[in-house]
DNA sequence: TTTGTTGTAACCAGATGAGTTACAATGCAA
DNA sequence: TTGCATTGTAACTCATCTGGTTACAACAAA
């Protein structure tokens, strides 16, 4: 049996035993508790309550007897129901949350974002709000690849990189910064934690976003203070 | 704060504390850890790691300081991502399961179904496969109401009930069974467990389905043996 | 009777989450 | 500066859940 299928079913709310038993039963079509146990690896003495639970959840059917026979309910049917339940739960939650969320917010000019998705989300948002000009410094092509499509649409795009050869074939016009300037963006250590900056973007001399690893965790810092943005840009210009 | 919103978020994979903190933060727009604690009821000494977790999951952003300020990422944005993740997980699982499910199955002629959804699913399937004739006995209008639409499409529909007055206004033509015949479907006790039958349907003299409560739990029994169906129908006919 | 199988029930151990306590560090006000 | 409240960290307890095991009753076949 594949490993991934169990993992997937667990994400959808089944336990490991339930996932194994159900997947096995789907594969066997019809089987006794013992057979499910043999193939799935679920302990024999537990297979009975597991199958009973699956029955209560609408995943399997059975025919009483000695031995009792079990079969899986058609997976597309079960999965469709699951999807409907989850989607309607999400829609409900979204509406409830939005009804709490009436007031305006985001007044603080600087925010940190921690998760990978959160960072990408922020970058997308940031890119979509550029009006005239975006200057970018970056040290790895990953970020440019990830946001290539949005980046292409940005007006006034200028990119500086540490070494040109890392960025060939991406379709971006990049400029290499001058000798010795890379020290501004080198890995450094503060308070015993190592920091490294992967990318810096400044939009319209107004807001900026810094992406990097600080103290062992990936972080993005969004700053919407024109003063700071101007200063950062001045530094950036000096990199030519 | 509403109770339902926390319950909904928990179904989507958050813990109680996480759900409370996130919902609260959505409502406040921007707040310190303390404020979130006060409003959400999450213990103050736990609010810090909860908010950190929410950050790692992409639900909140923060600005370091003393005190650190937090804000919720826009709920529609977060929820949309969650939906995409779950739906793609379901699609993947469905495909993997179906690829295991190539062989034909369902050869056994009798099956029990336990869950509410499973029972309804079975009944829908059963009704959709009627070709010429469906005879129904039922003791409560619930089942007819639940499957009214499908039932209307069934050819050769004949319904017998215990007492006609319970079924007025449903748009079904029902026939009352004769005096004394209800004893066949009365609640009865076997092996110390009480059983009661809510409905019995027979399709094309071929297959039948019985819905009822047996030993304290709701159960449907599907039988695809023509012999049994014929016998059941003979009994049914005698109810006139 | 013996043996093996089916099915039930209980138990143990590890992980996780809810809720609490202790305490270091950081301000802030007198 | 001292004293005090607040911020933030870390640990611990308790209950629940899940994975994994043991014991045993009921039953059928040999």
């Amino acid at each position: 049996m594949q490993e991934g299928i169990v993992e997937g079913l667990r994400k959808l709310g089944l336990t490991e035993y339930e996932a194994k038993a159900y997947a096995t039963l789907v594969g066997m079509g019809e089987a006794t508790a013992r057979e499910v146990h043999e193939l799935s690896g679920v302990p024999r003495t537990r297979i009975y309550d597991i199958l009973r639970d699956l029955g209560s959840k609408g995943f399997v059917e059975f025919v009483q007897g000695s031995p009792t026979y079990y079969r899986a309910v058609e997976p597309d049917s079960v999965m469709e129901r699951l999807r409907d339940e989850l989607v309607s739960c999400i829609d409900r939650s979204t509406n409830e949350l939005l009804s709490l969320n009436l007031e305006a917010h985001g007044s603080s000019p600087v925010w940190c974002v921690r998760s990978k998705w959160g960072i990408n989300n922020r970058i997308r948002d940031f890119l979509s709000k550029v009006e005239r000009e975006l200057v970018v410094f970056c040290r790895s092509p990953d970020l440019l690849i990830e946001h290539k499509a949005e980046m292409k649409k940005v007006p006034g795009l200028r990119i500086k990189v540490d070494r040109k050869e890392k960025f060939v074939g991406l379709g971006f016009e990049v400029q290499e910064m001058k000798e010795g300037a890379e020290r501004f963006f080198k890995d450094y250590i503060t308070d015993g934690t190592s920091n490294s900056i992967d990318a810096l973007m400044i939009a319209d001399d107004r807001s900026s976003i810094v992406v990097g690893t600080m103290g062992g965790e990936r972080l993005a810092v969004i700053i919407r203070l024109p003063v700071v943005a101007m200063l950062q840009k001045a530094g950036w210009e000096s990199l030519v």
Side-chain angles (χ1 to χ4, degrees), chain A residues 119-134:
Chain A
I119 292 173
N120 282 334
N121 190 43
R122 268 300 183 168
I123 293 175
R124 256 197 312 281
D125 182 57
F126 186 85
L127 291 176
S128 73
K129 289 188 177 139
V130 176
E131 283 173 13
R132 307 184 333 267
E133 178 200 63
L134 178 74

Side-chain angles (χ1 to χ4, degrees), chain A residues 114-227:
Chain A
R114 218 186 280 265
S115 80
K116 180 164 161 44
W117 174 83
I119 292 173
N120 282 334
N121 190 43
R122 268 300 183 168
I123 293 175
R124 256 197 312 281
D125 182 57
F126 186 85
L127 291 176
S128 73
K129 289 188 177 139
V130 176
E131 283 173 13
R132 307 184 333 267
E133 178 200 63
L134 178 74
V135 299
V136 177
F137 168 79
C138 83
R139 300 206 306 170
S140 111
D142 297 353
L143 197 134
L144 294 185
I145 295 169
E146 179 81 33
H147 297 91
K148 192 169 175 181
E150 301 101 310
M151 200 77 89
K152 291 277 185 192
K153 291 190 213 127
V154 169
L157 178 64
R158 284 187 292 157
I159 306 180
K160 278 200 172 64
V161 301
D162 53 348
R163 294 217 316 282
K164 246 180 170 172
E165 61 268 31
K166 289 197 284 189
F167 295 81
V168 294
L170 279 178
F172 287 109
E173 189 186 331
V174 304
Q175 201 174 353
E176 196 161 301
M177 64 188 191
K178 76 180 173 207
E179 204 66 42
E182 73 273 14
R183 69 186 169 83
F184 288 113
F185 294 92
K186 251 199 341 223
D187 299 358
Y188 58 97
I189 296 190
T190 324
D191 310 327
T193 62
S194 86
N195 303 278
S196 86
I197 288 173
D198 297 335
L200 160 65
M201 295 191 275
I202 303 163
D204 303 327
D205 299 335
R206 231 184 313 124
S207 50
S208 74
I209 183 166
V210 181
V211 183
T213 305
M214 296 153 214
E217 70 182 349
R218 200 162 167 71
L219 208 64
V221 180
I222 301 99
I223 303 173
R224 268 191 289 251
L225 284 177
V227 201

Side-chain angles (χ1 to χ4, degrees), chain A residues 42-129:
Chain A
V42 176
R44 194 189 64 80
T45 53
R46 296 298 308 284
I47 202 70
Y48 300 99
D49 49 296
I50 300 298
L51 287 170
R52 186 187 315 278
D53 289 351
L54 283 171
S56 309
K57 291 185 181 175
F59 282 69
V60 313
E61 300 169 0
F62 61 98
V63 33
Q64 210 97 318
S66 193
T68 296
Y69 270 75
Y70 298 85
R71 59 170 291 236
V73 176
E74 287 66 29
D76 40 1
S77 176
V78 173
M79 289 290 122
E80 190 188 324
R81 168 177 61 114
L82 213 60
R83 202 194 58 215
D84 292 349
E85 283 176 5
L86 285 172
V87 166
S88 84
C89 181
I90 287 174
D91 291 345
R92 218 174 322 117
S93 296
T94 305
N95 289 332
E96 289 176 329
L97 286 170
L98 286 176
S99 75
L100 294 176
N101 187 222
L102 298 179
E103 55 245 270
H105 60 266
S107 54
S108 170
V110 38
W111 288 101
C112 304
V113 184
R114 218 186 280 265
S115 80
K116 180 164 161 44
W117 174 83
I119 292 173
N120 282 334
N121 190 43
R122 268 300 183 168
I123 293 175
R124 256 197 312 281
D125 182 57
F126 186 85
L127 291 176
S128 73
K129 289 188 177 139

